[in-house]
Amino acid sequence: MKIIVPATSANIGPGFDSVGVAVSKYLEIEVLEESQEWVIEHDINPRIPTDKRNLLIKIALQLAPDLQPHRLKMTSDIPLARGLGSSSSVIVAGIELANQLANLNLSDHEKLKIATKIEGHPDNVAPAIYGNLVVASSFHNQVSAVVSDFPEVSFIAFIPDYELRTVESRRVLPNRLSYKEAVAASSIANVAIAALLKGDMKTAGRAIESDRFHERYRQPLIKEFSDIKFLARKQGAFATYISGAGPTVMVLSPRNKAEHIYKLIKEQGFDGQVFQLQVDTQGVRVEE
């Protein structure tokens, strides 16, 4: 059995802590034979435990404490601490591992409630579960989610070589916004989501780049952001935004311009990697 979970790109500008899209990088958990103790084989990072201390197993045992240990093989091309939902993918995989091995028969909504309680907000875990574009909220333990297709665009991700942990990225955010500022920020977010659902990428792009919740505070933490945004806009991209808490920079491009923008970003010689990604429409899935 293999559990597959997509990477996610959250916020998408003004959709702070509530909007995300599943994209084509993946965490895979191969469930092998039963064993005396949990064993996880991986070469992702030496800091990641290979036994029951691994977050994957911790999550699974929260749901089903009596799970029979197995040998597992973990592979991932989702980079750690880069704003592409690496920790959320493990949380969702852990829930699915318990779901499968303990025959919990969880619905997607039940998985979302559990994952949101663990993660604190649904923007990454929701698209990892459902796939596609997901607009979600969590308030007073009530979790809601709306799933929709993403408009026909290409995603071009610049992933820097350096990490930016969420706790560091949140540290630069203000403790509060004035009522007037909050209303303005909310109205921009409303337009962004409405335009995405309608497929109006020109309007969506302007709103995405007008975020007032987090991007203006975080952009100075990502030294390549301004150059990529300028380059992409000059070549006709719809929008450039910080993926999640960063430092990945995501460009939304018309499909006929994506290859050109991708090559131009690569030619800049930034310290990092550039990828063309697609929307994952399936979310977490299990292959026998």
Side-chain angles (χ1 to χ4, degrees), residues 159-173:
I159 305 175
D161 287 341
Y162 54 87
E163 295 184 356
L164 180 57
R165 299 202 173 273
T166 301
V167 65
E168 298 167 9
S169 190
R170 284 190 179 269
R171 196 174 291 138
V172 301
L173 301 181

Side-chain angles (χ1 to χ4, degrees), residues 184-258:
S186 178
S187 68
I188 292 167
N190 293 341
V191 170
I193 299 308
L196 285 173
L197 296 181
K198 189 179 178 182
D200 180 356
M201 280 307 303
K202 287 187 177 180
T203 301
R206 287 194 298 270
I208 288 167
E209 291 193 344
S210 300
D211 166 66
R212 302 186 70 81
F213 284 121
H214 74 110
E215 285 221 351
R216 55 182 167 161
Y217 307 106
R218 286 173 163 171
Q219 286 177 14
L221 302 176
I222 305 167
K223 59 182 183 291
E224 303 88 356
F225 185 90
S226 295
D227 289 340
I228 293 174
K229 181 178 179 179
F230 177 79
L231 182 154
R233 180 179 287 178
K234 194 173 181 180
Q235 301 303 320
F238 293 121
T240 300
Y241 68 90
I242 299 170
S243 182
T248 290
V249 179
M250 193 72 77
V251 175
L252 300 178
S253 164
R255 290 191 169 174
N256 63 347
K257 298 180 179 180

